[in-house]
Amino acid sequence: MKTHSAHFNPERQRQVLQALLKVLPANCVLHELEDTKPYECDGLAAYTELPMIVVLPEDEQQILATLGVCRELAVPIVPRGAGTGLSGGAMPTSDGIVLSTAKLKRIVQLDKNARTAIVQPGVRNLAISEAAAPLGLYYAPDPSSQIACTIGGNVSENSGGVHCLKYGLTLHNVLRVRIATIDGEMIELGSAALDAPGLDLMSVFIGSEGMLGIVTEVTVKLVPKPECAQVIMASFDDVITACNAVSDIIKAGIIPAGLEMMDQRSVHMVEPFVKAGYDLNAAAILLCESDGSETEVRDEIERMSRVLQQAGATAIAVSNSEAERLRFWSGRKNAFPAAGRISPDYYCMDGTIPRKKLAQVLQGIADLEIKHQLRCANVFHAGDGNLHPLILFDTNTPGELDRAEQFGTDILAMCVDVGGTITGEHGVGIEKINAMCLQFTSEENDAFFAVKRAFDPAGLLNPTKTIPTLHRCAEFGREHVHHGQQKFPDLPRF
Amino acid sequence: MKTHSAHFNPERQRQVLQALLKVLPANCVLHELEDTKPYECDGLAAYTELPMIVVLPEDEQQILATLGVCRELAVPIVPRGAGTGLSGGAMPTSDGIVLSTAKLKRIVQLDKNARTAIVQPGVRNLAISEAAAPLGLYYAPDPSSQIACTIGGNVSENSGGVHCLKYGLTLHNVLRVRIATIDGEMIELGSAALDAPGLDLMSVFIGSEGMLGIVTEVTVKLVPKPECAQVIMASFDDVITACNAVSDIIKAGIIPAGLEMMDQRSVHMVEPFVKAGYDLNAAAILLCESDGSETEVRDEIERMSRVLQQAGATAIAVSNSEAERLRFWSGRKNAFPAAGRISPDYYCMDGTIPRKKLAQVLQGIADLEIKHQLRCANVFHAGDGNLHPLILFDTNTPGELDRAEQFGTDILAMCVDVGGTITGEHGVGIEKINAMCLQFTSEENDAFFAVKRAFDPAGLLNPTKTIPTLHRCAEFGREHVHHGQQKFPDLPRF
């Protein structure tokens, strides 16, 4: 069994434990190795660290009491939802506590007329939709972990999902967040009304990866379940044409409920596994979904089919039943497990680029496959410009892990270079903190730190993550230059 | 001619002027009374103050140079767009400069494929749509001042408009903002891609009313001009039924392009003036617009008509031509000028409430008419819950101005009490700074100040506006209590 790191200090653990047990019930504080082990990592299992103590408060008062102890004794705090994050945002520190909101899982209120739900942070994403189903409503953002991930984590990561092109990210589906600050105050950000006066601190809080405070309650928007949905599967004989078709759909003023692309390698990887009926001869396929009333869907499917044909689709199939629609989607949704069947390891990237750069960046990734001598399967939210290149490699082949990591860094640098970002929906966490040096200037990182200090002057909340210090960027040896002027001499140029 | 206030210090003016003229061309710096007079107020003409100096920089370098002088000499800065704001956000201080971005009016780039425009802050809102028209695109937010107001001002106030229910506020239509900070740095917030890593400082900047930095460039989203639009005019024989019909439309999952209500007083005020064909017998009328493809509009108009009928509409008319659509809207758009025809003075409020509280708050306003012995006409963005009660009064009748102001404060307190806000789209500025004490706790105002200080430690940017000090709230004599527990003994209770 994993033991504590060299930095672990048992005397310090006793001190903090004693202070916590004065304000919390004993069953809310874990410190034995076998109890804290499940918290040693989140979905980014490559990075692990045993926390000093894990705290599971049952209410707001207990959260405030925990923060009070940490403030007084200067103990770092790593907030944690369900631990499904993919960027190590909930990875513990050996000298700090993990504060899990898992026990706060009450749905406080469902309001059919206002179409809102008030929920505690530990409520699972899908549980909101299940609770709202009898009202004909659901919560739109649908990260692929939605069966397990919690709304508190969604708020911290600003999670998206397949439908976020039409329905938006977490930010666009949350009205109000209640927060415990490290100063021991309760504040409410946002408003049940359309806009709120003052600074829009709710937006800065959503996606702040646990750096600013602890979520204790969230008011989310609910939307009506669409009457029906249909999906088009379109084949293309080259990737560039498929990328241009994505632009054409958006240009035509259509916002599909989902607009996903898979390249030939992804299709070949997935089809034997799920038998979705994908066109194995296509260089790329697009899945374009429409949802709404029957009239709307019929009209939109017709318009999208026309645009896709004009854009050069070689074949078009429209789902004729709900079963067929789910079959078309099954391949896309199982792309990651399928990658695990054909390669011992894979590394999933999360770069996001302006849509019009899709073709250019895919060509760049193809060039990088040759440079790094590794295969890459491309599955992505094409409508959002959110790429998920899956770099396939084998840890047991010497050098492949290093090459895969360098491949990933090169992809992210390319995304920044064309005006995109290093992460679309997985967050920065610990995984992409070096890549932040590619994305932002030291002035921009300074602005982030200034706001971080405004909420957390002592830097106790999720320290060392998300925002890189100037020192770290200097060590990483990359300096950001604005507007794609940066030259990466070893990267393919565009 | 208005002269400087008692606080004006000519020696100080000479010092600052000299420093500014070292870094700026002479024609960019105004200091003579006749030149600075036009800047003494914004759209809230009741509050005036002559600025010490007005600076009109021509580019980013000149903005940075101006900020450098102000930083060094500790001169307050009031940023200004077109000066159409309604809350005094651009009202000068006598010891400071006004920094106008009026000369930065270049459209830098229009991108048809990405559907974006990059514009300088002094570009007028409507000028963006005019420039994009040949591409079949337009910029959606349409404040009623759109012919004059600039995108820099829109960003600072997070402006809305009649169509923001469907198309969102400025925040939802801006991708990236470039900013000069008081530290003399240029930073870019937001991203051309779907999401950006790091803290979402763009959202906190939008609507920050000039407190955080100077906008130097904005990337906005453009949307395709809808193929067609139609509007329904529905009559109701009582206001409550009309309010419930608004909820019913939203409940049915329809997001109209516009959803406006006028009460009988507004209709009677407007109809003789514009002859829009409004139903003078109705206690309230609703205007419900649909836009999109012809099929979509036909379908949505049909569905909305059905919901309105079921909700108890006594008459329903659908526009049959573009001319008729514009005629239906003309009454709504001319409500403010019409108020000027029937009353010497009027005071326009801007409270926003959860939609389900519409009926309750309208009843409350009716009660307040009796309490304050003043008439009030109600015109509002019903779909958004954004009320614009027009309190009618006569400054020349002793006591009426005071009663009108108290009436306004009571309405805002009521809005906060039911879970709403003191401003939907006009901003806080100087006008509603006391009302902020009703809205937020001292902890929440502290959080605003902490973020303000992170950007502007010396407090030079638009000081004394938007966020009230604890001292001010104490003087105002109101203390916020959370969740509508506050008791206003002199207010109608709900």
Side-chain angles (χ1 to χ4, degrees), chain B residues 64-374:
Chain B
L64 286 174
T66 305
L67 294 177
V69 167
C70 291
R71 192 171 64 242
E72 201 168 310
L73 301 178
V75 181
I77 301 147
V78 176
R80 180 184 170 104
T84 55
L86 293 171
S87 56
M91 191 192 76
T93 59
S94 62
D95 60 346
I97 69 159
V98 164
L99 194 167
S100 163
T101 51
K103 287 191 176 181
L104 287 100
K105 51 185 182 194
R106 208 155 48 83
I107 292 181
V108 180
Q109 192 199 78
L110 284 170
D111 186 327
K112 181 172 177 161
N113 287 359
R115 296 204 334 220
T116 57
I118 302 179
V119 298
Q120 291 190 321
V123 173
R124 289 177 304 106
N125 174 298
L126 195 61
I128 304 175
S129 293
E130 285 166 355
L135 308 179
L137 300 171
Y138 76 109
Y139 175 65
D142 56 347
S144 56
S145 58
Q146 71 175 147
I147 193 169
C149 66
T150 60
I151 190 73
N154 290 179
V155 163
S156 297
E157 300 293 331
N158 193 17
S159 308
V162 172
H163 292 89
C164 67
L165 173 62
K166 179 167 177 180
Y167 294 100
L169 302 164
T170 303
L171 175 62
H172 311 110
N173 290 275
V174 166
L175 288 170
R176 195 201 283 253
V177 180
R178 191 167 155 86
I179 289 155
T181 72
I182 190 77
D183 298 334
E185 290 168 349
M186 295 303 312
I187 60 176
E188 289 196 4
L189 308 177
S191 158
L194 185 72
D195 190 17
L199 297 172
D200 182 8
L201 298 186
M202 187 188 82
S203 295
V204 89
F205 191 89
I206 293 180
S208 61
E209 304 195 11
M211 289 192 300
L212 304 184
I214 307 295
V215 187
T216 68
E217 198 178 271
V218 185
T219 306
V220 300
K221 293 185 207 172
L222 302 172
V223 291
K225 262 189 278 194
E227 220 174 88
C228 69
Q230 273 187 297
V231 64
I232 300 174
M233 181 170 65
S235 307
F236 290 87
D237 56 15
D238 77 289
V239 176
I240 308 298
T241 313
C243 290
N244 292 335
V246 171
S247 288
D248 288 348
I249 287 178
I250 304 294
K251 225 189 301 181
I254 303 167
I255 304 291
L259 180 47
E260 301 283 313
M261 192 189 295
M262 299 175 75
D263 68 2
Q264 190 167 41
R265 179 164 289 131
S266 307
V267 168
H268 281 230
M269 183 172 87
V270 145
E271 185 59 23
F273 182 35
V274 298
K275 300 183 175 51
Y278 290 165
D279 181 351
L280 292 166
N281 295 318
I285 63 165
L286 286 183
L287 295 170
C288 317
E289 181 148 289
S290 172
D291 66 11
S293 73
E294 273 181 38
T295 321
E296 267 176 317
V297 170
R298 197 165 44 232
D299 178 51
E300 196 167 84
I301 289 284
E302 203 182 289
R303 284 190 291 149
M304 287 201 292
S305 303
R306 213 179 310 134
V307 173
L308 290 165
Q309 245 143 17
Q310 278 163 4
T314 53
I316 284 183
V318 180
S319 66
N320 273 319
S321 64
E322 187 59 10
E324 191 171 34
R325 187 179 76 86
L326 295 174
R327 187 162 62 76
F328 282 2
W329 277 111
S330 64
R332 168 64 187 88
K333 298 214 166 173
N334 286 295
F336 290 15
R341 283 168 58 110
I342 65 159
S343 175
D345 299 287
Y346 65 91
Y347 186 28
C348 171
M349 307 308 296
D350 176 40
T352 301
I353 55 172
R355 263 186 310 263
K356 63 177 169 175
K357 302 288 186 181
L358 280 173
Q360 180 178 331
V361 168
L362 283 181
Q363 184 53 51
I365 292 176
D367 294 346
L368 288 169
E369 284 187 296
I370 297 162
K371 177 183 164 197
H372 294 290
Q373 291 289 302
L374 288 172

Side-chain angles (χ1 to χ4, degrees), chain A residues 111 113 115 185 188 191 195 199-200 203 208 224 250-251 253 293 295 299 356 421 423-424 443-444 448 450 483, chain B residues 111 113 115 185 188 191 195 197 199-200 203 224 250-251 253 293 295 299 356 421 423-424 443-444 448 454 483:
Chain A
D111 186 327
N113 287 358
R115 297 206 331 223
E185 290 168 348
E188 288 196 5
S191 157
D195 191 17
L199 298 173
D200 181 7
S203 295
S208 62
I250 304 294
K251 225 188 303 181
S293 73
T295 321
D299 178 52
K356 62 177 170 176
T421 76
T423 170
E443 288 79 9
E444 285 156 352
F448 293 146
H483 289 313
Chain B
D111 186 327
N113 287 359
R115 296 204 334 220
E185 290 168 349
E188 289 196 4
S191 158
D195 190 17
L199 297 172
D200 182 8
S203 295
I250 304 294
K251 225 189 301 181
S293 73
T295 321
D299 178 51
K356 63 177 169 175
T421 76
T423 171
E443 288 79 10
E444 285 156 351
F448 293 147
H483 290 311

Side-chain angles (χ1 to χ4, degrees), chain A residues 236-244 261 263-264 283-284 359 362 380:
Chain A
F236 290 85
D237 56 14
D238 76 289
V239 175
I240 310 298
T241 313
C243 290
N244 293 334
M261 193 190 293
D263 68 2
Q264 191 167 40
L362 282 181
F380 50 98

Side-chain angles (χ1 to χ4, degrees), chain A residues 171-248:
Chain A
L171 175 61
H172 310 111
N173 291 277
V174 167
L175 288 171
R176 195 201 283 252
V177 181
R178 191 167 156 85
I179 288 154
T181 71
I182 190 78
D183 298 334
E185 290 168 348
M186 293 306 310
I187 60 176
E188 288 196 5
L189 308 177
S191 157
L194 186 70
D195 191 17
L199 298 173
D200 181 7
L201 298 188
M202 188 189 81
S203 295
V204 88
F205 191 89
I206 293 180
S208 62
E209 304 194 10
M211 289 191 301
L212 305 183
I214 307 295
V215 187
T216 67
E217 197 178 271
V218 185
T219 306
V220 300
K221 294 186 205 171
L222 302 173
V223 292
K225 262 189 278 194
E227 219 174 87
C228 69
Q230 273 186 295
V231 64
I232 300 174
M233 179 171 64
S235 308
F236 290 85
D237 56 14
D238 76 289
V239 175
I240 310 298
T241 313
C243 290
N244 293 334
V246 171
S247 287
D248 288 348

